[in-house]
Amino acid sequence: QVQLVESGGGLVQAGGSLRLSCAASGSIFSIYDMGWYRQVPGKQRELVADITSGGTTNYADSVKGRFTISRDNAKNTVFLQMNSLKPEDTAAYTCYAEWPRWVHSWGPGTQVTVSS
């Protein structure tokens, strides 16, 4: 079983930056995909970005050019660098990791609040 712990959320003004981290631990051989979702109360959960073990990335259109996802495979950690933050980026951000294949584990989530 994989355990995930996020860090780095908080309150920031519009135009600012935050860096989220998510560390996976447990009985892991090699994590496949890792990524971040976000959710606002009353709205559907949205995939923000994901990254394969080989480094191929995918982003939601709403964050392209502003957010960068990366990972450290040796440390089973995924990062989300968020720049030029907007109030509409306010959400609970949750990371996930795929290990073994087709099995996804989730972190508890971290709140990001962007003030205008």
Side-chain angles (χ1 to χ4, degrees):
Q1 189 173 1
V2 177
Q3 294 81 43
L4 299 170
V5 178
E6 300 110 336
S7 61
L11 173 64
V12 65
Q13 289 189 330
S17 298
L18 284 174
R19 180 177 168 88
L20 304 183
S21 300
C22 174
S25 62
S27 301
I28 301 170
F29 176 68
S30 179
I31 296 177
Y32 293 97
D33 291 356
M34 301 185 79
W36 295 88
Y37 277 79
R38 67 185 180 186
Q39 188 165 24
V40 176
K43 293 189 177 181
Q44 193 169 7
R45 185 177 64 178
E46 175 189 27
L47 175 64
V48 178
D50 57 27
I51 183 168
T52 68
S53 57
T56 300
T57 59
N58 174 56
Y59 296 93
D61 287 342
S62 58
V63 306
K64 283 180 181 177
R66 300 188 298 121
F67 291 11
T68 302
I69 189 170
S70 60
R71 63 189 284 176
D72 182 335
N73 289 333
K75 296 182 178 180
N76 292 322
T77 300
V78 63
F79 306 96
L80 186 67
Q81 178 66 44
M82 305 185 293
N83 299 329
S84 302
L85 282 160
K86 304 175 181 179
E88 51 264 44
D89 294 317
T90 296
Y93 286 70
T94 304
C95 71
Y96 78 89
E98 181 185 2
W99 170 257
R101 180 61 89 183
W102 314 125
V103 177
H104 293 77
S105 297
W106 301 87
T110 186
Q111 180 67 33
V112 171
T113 302
V114 184
S115 63
S116 57

